[in-house]
Amino acid sequence: MANRSDELRESRSGGTCHAGEFETSLMLAVRGDAVELGAAEQVYPKLPSGYLSSHLFEGAPAGRFVPFDRISETGTLGDPSLATARKANES
């Protein structure tokens, strides 16, 4: 069964993690004035382990934290350019 995120997500797998499509949509809904979409960069990093996931809704076989600055120069994991406040309000 698909979850609601699958209906709203436009980014490919890995596009909804830290500062990606999902989190940026939430920020647009609650503090749109604090979001600079013109500065949004799409980042799909190569993860250092198969035990990591950069997708909030798919998960990984086991959890392990890696500081974002070790896998993304910008801190973004995903595609914030696809974010809209509508997605947050409809989820």
Side-chain angles (χ1 to χ4, degrees), residues 1-69:
M1 181 172 144
N3 64 40
R4 185 75 171 124
S5 69
D6 292 334
E7 296 173 27
L8 298 171
R9 183 182 77 181
E10 294 179 72
S11 58
R12 64 182 171 91
S13 180
T16 60
C17 201
H18 190 262
E21 180 182 7
F22 180 72
E23 287 187 353
T24 304
S25 292
L26 291 173
M27 284 303 299
L28 285 168
V30 298
R31 274 294 309 274
D33 61 311
V35 177
E36 294 181 34
L37 273 181
E41 291 186 34
Q42 180 186 71
V43 179
Y44 288 93
K46 181 175 182 336
L47 299 175
S49 167
Y51 292 103
L52 299 173
S53 173
S54 64
H55 188 354
L56 289 175
F57 306 106
E58 288 177 2
R64 177 177 162 229
F65 177 76
V66 175
F68 293 118
D69 64 351

